[in-house]
Each structure stands twice: as structure tokens, then as C-alpha cells.
């Protein structure tokens, strides 16, 4: 008598396959209970499910969990119930994983074309469904999407939580580092936007080092991670590392299979080219990125391209062009309700407005946006807003305040903004901006007769500029064999 046989009425049953199917599926529902549920839903009797190969008594013992069915028995039962063998044994509808991945793609498209809140609703549904059916990879993808939605809307604590959950799911599933690279990059970006520049670099450099020393030279993963390092490197004053990352990204681009990554690379590399004084090349790189994103209908990244082009034009002295590009970026991001990115663009726009002689408009814009920035949420750009407000206050003194009292008040306001900005930048470790701010604050102290304070501030600034192009992060990560 095999495991598929039963001593109850109805006679012998055929032998089953040698291998037995576990009594409980990965989702935790006993298989016998599922057979009972599906049979009842379809209005079938035990005899209708059993015949012609099995007996009603056998179906009864299977539903009661008193027998471990073989694969042959379950394939017969699945056919009689009108479901696939996989659906019967796992509890998952046929092709569920494929359908989930298609819907994840729909959510991603919604996110990249300007519907972050709608995409978040879909991602939430997909995460719950993937978790219910034990689909770890799809659940991780949904968590990653929810984190990206949180970045769009400026909810950084939520973004951190989703990105960490995504990486934990991938680690638990044994995913290799190239597959975990998007989650690592996302975590680093969230820390960067939170003002934790050094930790963002640590995450990215650790992953790059592991990829390059272990032989996991996946072009897409390397391109994703190298382009993500450029912004924190630049803000920390590590221009040499930013330039090296840009060169490596450019050399990897022909090998990368994802055009979205190539477009991101062009946008990130433009910043390094600009730092090297190569404005025309930076503008050309951004134009390539904009063309790709326009073709792919990725509005967030396209807005970032306009943002960077505005920054390039501003550094090159083309202020009218800079204002046009920055306003375009601001309007696109604002339409997407990407609050944090919008406020960051507005800091750049305010600087251009000030340089074009519209200081009052710039100051009003900066004061309005400071409510959306704080040390944990856009520290570098909050510091930039305070720095600009300090400059505007000082310029009002230089242009001739109405009386000495007004001039004193303006100088005090400038000092307050500079000190606040200094505190924010020190916390974020933005060395390049720190050096410039120390110069501004030192000059203010000197003009107001506080020579000792000025000297101390200048020394602090020199300390941040003592080793241009380096950081205290330790050795740079190993390079790929490009």
C-alpha cells in the first residue's frame, strides 16, 4: 500500500509518484484545506474530484490532512478543480509573479512620469500582495518603489524605512550584490538628502569595493553606484574622487544595457565637467541626458536635467538662460509635488535672481522655502538658503542702508544666517561649501572690527581646503577592469 492508498470504502487506488508534496505550502495554508475550499467554491462533490483515478474516501482523507499526497495525485486533483498544479501546491494564482512584475512596471512608469502619489498607492497594493504570497523579490521591488515615491514627496524617514526593508528582503533571498545595487544606491541617496554625506559615500564606496574586488563587474550596477557618488563627493569638496567616478562612469556607459542609467550618468557627469571648467562639455552631456529622458518620458529626471543645465548656465554667467532652465525645472517638479527637490531648485533659482538684481524676490523665495528644509531634510540646501540670505543682507549694507541702526541690524542678520549655515554644513560634512562660507563669515567679522574672530574663522576655512580633492573617508574603492 502506497501513501496514496486508503483502506476506506471505494477500493484500491493507483500508486502515486515516489516524491511526496509537503502538507503545508509556503504561504502557510494546508494543502488539504485548499482542496476543500476550491472544491466547495466550485460546487463539486468528492466523487467528482476523485474519479476516475481515485476514490471519494481518498479525497476526504486528503482534505482532512490525514494523507500526504504525491505529485501525481495533486496533478489529478488540480485538473479536476480547474487550476494549475502550481496554484494548488503554492496557493498562488497562475503567473502571479509575472503579473506582479508587469504592475510594478506600471507603477514605475507612473512614478517617473509625474504621479508619485498614485504610484505609491499601487506600490502599496503590490507590496501587500507579494508579501501575502511569499514573493520576496517582488516585495523588495515594491518597497524600493515606495521609497522612491517618498523621496519624490520629501518624506525622508519613510524613504529610509522602505529602502532598508527592500535591501533586507534581497539579502534574505540571497540576491547577489549587482541585484541589490539599486537598493544600496537608494539608501545612499536618502542619506545624502538627509545631510549625511559621509555615510552616503561609505555605503556607495563599500558596495563598489565589493563589486570590483570580488569580480562582480556588472556594468549597470557599477554605473548606478558611480553616478550616485558624484553629488556627495562634490558637496564634500572631494573633486578628485568626483572626477574619477565620472571618468569611470563614462567608460562603463557603452557596456550598460539600461538607457535610463546612461541618461542618469550624463546628468551626474555634467557636474564634474563643470567643476573642471568644461562648461560646453557639461552642457552637451546634459543635452544627451535630456534627449534620453524626453524619449523615455521620465519627467523627474528630465526636470533634474533642466536643473543642472540651469546650474551650468549660472556658473558660466548666462543668468537669463539659467533662470529659464531653473524655472522650468521648478515648475516640472512642483507639478509632480516633489517637495524636497522643488525647494532645492528654488535655492539655485534664488541665487540667480539675486545676481540679476532681484534681491527682494530672491529673499522672499528663500524665506518661504526654509520651512520645507531642516538639518534632517535637505541640510546642504538649507545651508545654501541661509548663506544667500546672509549675502543679501550684507549687500543691503554695501548699497547703503538708510541709517546706522539699519546697517547694524543687516550685519547682525547676515552673521546669524552665516552661523546657521556653518552649523548645517559642519553636520553634513560639505567641505567645499564650508570653506567658502568661512571666507564670507571671516570677511564680515573683519569689516565689523572683530579681527581675532575673523582669523579663527579663516583658519577653520583653510582647514577644510587643506587637501583639495580628498576626503577623510579612507582609500578610494577599487576600480573595475574597464
Amino acid at each position: 500500500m502506497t501513501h496514496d492508498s486508503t483502506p476506506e470504502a471505494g477500493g484500491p487506488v493507483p500508486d502515486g509518484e515516489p516524491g511526496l508534496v509537503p502538507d503545508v505550502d509556503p504561504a502557510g495554508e494546508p494543502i488539504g484545506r485548499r482542496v476543500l475550499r476550491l472544491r466547495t467554491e466550485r460546487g463539486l462533490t468528492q466523487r467528482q474530484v476523485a474519479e476516475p483515478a481515485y476514490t471519494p474516501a481518498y479525497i476526504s482523507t486528503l482534505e482532512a490532512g490525514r494523507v500526504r499526497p504525491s505529485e501525481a495525485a495533486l496533478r489529478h486533483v488540480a485538473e479536476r478543480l480547474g487550476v494549475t498544479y502550481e496554484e494548488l501546491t503554492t496557493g498562488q494564482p497562475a503567473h502571479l509573479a509575472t503579473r506582479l512584475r508587469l504592475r510594478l512596471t506600471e507603477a514605475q512608469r507612473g512614478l517617473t512620469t509625474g504621479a508619485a502619489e498614485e504610484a505609491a498607492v499601487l506600490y502599496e497594493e503590490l507590496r501587500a500582495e507579494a508579501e501575502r504570497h511569499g514573493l520576496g523579490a517582488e516585495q523588495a521591488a515594491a518597497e524600493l518603489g515606495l521609497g522612491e515615491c517618498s523621496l519624490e514627496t520629501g518624506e525622508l524617514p519613510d524613504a529610509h524605512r522602505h529602502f532598508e526593508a527592500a535591501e533586507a528582503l534581497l539579502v534574505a533571498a540571497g540576491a547577489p550584490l549587482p541585484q541589490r545595487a539599486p537598493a544600496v544606491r537608494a539608501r545612499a541617496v536618502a542619506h545624502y538628502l538627509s545631510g549625511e554625506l559621509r555615510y552616503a559615500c561609505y555605503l556607495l564606496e563599500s558596495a563598489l569595493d565589493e563589486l570590483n574586488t570580488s569580480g562582480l563587474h556588472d556594468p549597470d550596477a557599477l554605473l548606478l553606484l558611480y553616478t550616485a557618488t558624484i553629488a556627495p563627493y562634490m558637496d564634500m569638496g572631494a573633486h578628485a574622487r568626483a572626477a574619477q567616478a565620472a571618468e569611470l562612469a563614462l567608460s562603463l556607459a557603452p557596456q550598460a544595457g539600461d538607457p535610463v542609467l546612461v541618461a542618469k550618468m550624463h546628468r551626474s557627469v555634467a557636474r564634474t565637467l563643470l567643476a573642471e571648467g568644461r562648461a560646453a562639455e557639461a552642457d552637451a552631456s546634459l543635452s544627451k541626458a535630456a534627449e534620453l529622458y524626453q524619449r523615455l518620458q521620465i519627467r523627474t529626471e528630465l526636470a533634474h536635467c533642466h536643473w543642472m543645465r540651469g546650474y551650468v548656465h549660472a556658473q558660466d554667467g548666462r543668468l537669463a538662460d539659467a533662470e529659464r532652465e531653473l524655472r522650468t525645472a521648478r515648475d516640472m517638479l512642483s507639478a509632480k509635488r516633489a517637495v524636497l527637490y522643488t525647494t532645492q531648485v528654488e535655492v539655485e533659482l534664488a541665487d540667480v535672481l539675486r545676481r540679476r538684481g532681484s534681491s527682494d524676490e530672491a529673499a522672499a523665495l528663500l524665506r518661504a522655502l526654509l520651512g520645507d528644509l531642516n538639518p534632517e531634510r535637505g541640510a546642504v540646501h538649507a545651508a545654501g538658503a541661509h548663506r544667500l540670505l546672509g549675502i543679501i543682507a550684507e549687500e543691503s549694507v554695501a548699497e547703503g542702508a538708510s541709517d546706522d541702526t539699519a546697517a547694524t541690524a543687516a550685519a547682525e542678520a547676515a552673521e546669524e544666517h552665516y552661523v546657521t549655515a556653518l552649523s548645517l554644513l559642519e553636520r553634513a560634512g560639505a567641505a567645499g561649501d564650508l570653506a567658502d562660507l568661512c571666507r564670507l563669515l571671516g570677511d564680515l567679522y573683519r569689516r565689523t572690527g572683530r579681527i581675532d574672530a575673523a582669523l579663527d574663522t579663516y583658519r577653520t576655512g583653510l582647514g577644510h581646503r587643506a587637501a583639495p580633492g580628498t576626503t577623510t573617508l579612507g582609500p578610494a574603492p577599487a576600480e573595475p577592469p574597464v
Side-chain angles (χ1 to χ4, degrees):
M1 186 81 68
T2 71
H3 284 282
D4 278 350
S5 302
T6 176
E8 300 183 38
V13 296
D15 287 344
E17 295 291 327
L20 299 176
V21 177
D23 296 329
V24 179
D25 76 345
E29 181 183 22
I31 290 176
R33 187 178 301 168
R34 182 175 302 115
V35 171
L36 173 61
R37 173 171 57 79
L38 292 172
R39 180 178 64 78
T40 304
E41 288 173 357
R42 287 155 176 73
L44 299 174
T45 65
Q46 291 178 338
R47 182 176 299 280
Q48 288 173 310
V49 172
E51 293 179 344
Y54 293 85
T55 67
Y58 175 71
I59 299 301
S60 177
T61 58
L62 191 161
E63 292 177 348
R66 297 198 301 269
V67 64
R68 295 185 65 191
S70 67
E71 179 180 338
L74 286 177
R75 288 191 180 279
H76 167 83
V77 171
E79 182 181 357
R80 302 296 290 170
L81 291 173
V83 298
T84 66
Y85 169 76
E86 288 75 16
E87 183 175 352
L88 182 62
T89 55
T90 67
Q92 298 174 4
H95 309 299
L96 173 65
T98 302
R99 292 204 301 272
L100 279 177
R101 285 192 290 272
L102 285 172
R103 294 177 65 200
L104 283 165
T105 303
E106 292 174 10
Q108 179 65 25
R109 185 179 183 280
L111 174 61
T112 55
T113 55
E117 293 181 356
E118 292 84 349
V121 173
L122 180 53
Y123 276 128
E124 190 65 59
E125 294 174 358
L126 294 172
R127 179 182 65 172
E129 189 169 358
E131 183 178 12
R132 186 165 58 251
H133 294 289
L135 298 173
E138 287 71 23
Q139 187 181 348
E143 289 281 8
L144 194 59
L146 284 168
E148 294 289 352
C149 291
S150 297
L151 280 188
E152 287 284 317
T153 55
E155 302 299 327
L156 294 182
D158 288 343
H160 284 294
R161 177 169 51 84
H162 290 305
F163 292 148
E164 288 171 2
E167 188 172 14
L169 284 164
L170 292 170
V171 169
L177 183 55
Q179 293 180 21
R180 302 199 314 270
V184 174
R185 172 258 175 201
R187 286 184 60 206
V189 169
H191 283 290
Y192 165 65
L193 293 175
S194 299
E196 300 165 356
L197 277 65
R198 197 171 303 280
Y199 188 62
C201 290
Y202 164 76
L203 288 174
L204 294 165
E205 289 189 344
S206 297
L208 284 166
D209 213 33
E210 184 177 344
L211 281 171
N212 291 326
T213 58
S214 61
L216 299 172
H217 304 124
D218 182 276
D220 285 347
L222 289 169
L223 185 58
L224 190 69
L225 296 172
Y226 275 122
T227 54
T229 64
I230 293 174
Y233 278 161
M234 292 292 289
D235 283 346
M236 293 179 68
H239 298 148
R241 286 202 185 180
Q244 181 189 41
E247 291 298 329
L248 289 168
L250 286 168
S251 64
L252 286 162
Q255 305 175 50
D258 189 344
V260 177
L261 296 182
V262 177
K264 285 183 178 180
M265 177 273 297
H266 281 298
R267 178 168 59 84
S268 297
V269 164
R271 190 174 181 183
T272 300
L273 293 172
L274 181 63
E276 296 176 351
R278 297 152 66 182
E281 292 175 64
D283 197 40
S285 190
L286 289 167
S287 295
K288 292 177 183 177
E291 180 182 351
L292 280 166
Y293 286 130
Q294 183 70 67
R295 195 185 317 149
L296 294 167
Q297 296 184 325
I298 302 178
R299 290 187 59 81
T300 298
E301 298 297 341
L302 183 59
H304 281 72
C305 287
H306 285 292
W307 178 1
M308 277 301 299
R309 289 188 73 179
Y311 182 75
V312 169
H313 291 327
Q315 296 302 306
D316 206 31
R318 292 178 287 169
L319 299 181
D321 291 339
E323 181 178 349
R324 183 185 65 253
E325 294 286 355
L326 290 170
R327 287 190 183 278
T328 298
R330 192 264 306 270
D331 293 344
M332 292 174 71
L333 292 167
S334 180
K336 291 192 60 178
R337 298 180 294 280
V339 178
L340 184 56
Y341 288 138
T342 302
T343 56
Q344 291 175 341
V345 172
E346 287 177 334
V347 173
E348 306 280 359
L349 177 59
D351 187 31
V352 171
L353 291 173
R354 178 191 67 83
R355 293 168 62 187
R356 297 198 73 192
S358 302
S359 293
D360 290 343
E361 182 182 355
L365 179 60
L366 291 166
R367 293 191 185 97
L369 64 85
L370 274 174
D372 291 320
L373 297 169
N374 57 57
E376 288 74 34
R377 192 167 178 267
V380 173
H381 285 80
H386 281 291
R387 173 185 172 276
L388 284 173
L389 286 169
I391 292 174
I392 291 170
E394 280 205 274
E395 287 175 345
S396 71
V397 177
E399 292 168 2
S402 57
D403 53 44
D404 290 343
T405 302
T408 301
E412 290 175 350
E415 180 180 348
E416 182 179 349
H417 285 300
Y418 288 154
V419 170
T420 301
L422 190 64
S423 174
L424 289 166
L425 292 175
E426 284 178 336
R427 178 171 180 170
D433 292 338
L434 269 168
D436 178 65
L437 190 61
C438 286
R439 177 187 60 80
L440 291 170
L441 183 57
D443 289 349
L444 176 61
Y445 285 147
R446 180 172 53 80
R447 283 194 295 270
T448 53
R450 288 170 285 178
I451 303 303
D452 289 342
L455 288 171
D456 287 342
T457 304
Y458 288 143
R459 290 189 189 99
T460 300
L462 286 171
H464 290 296
R465 297 296 293 174
T470 65
T471 72
T472 57
L473 289 167
E479 297 181 22
V482 178

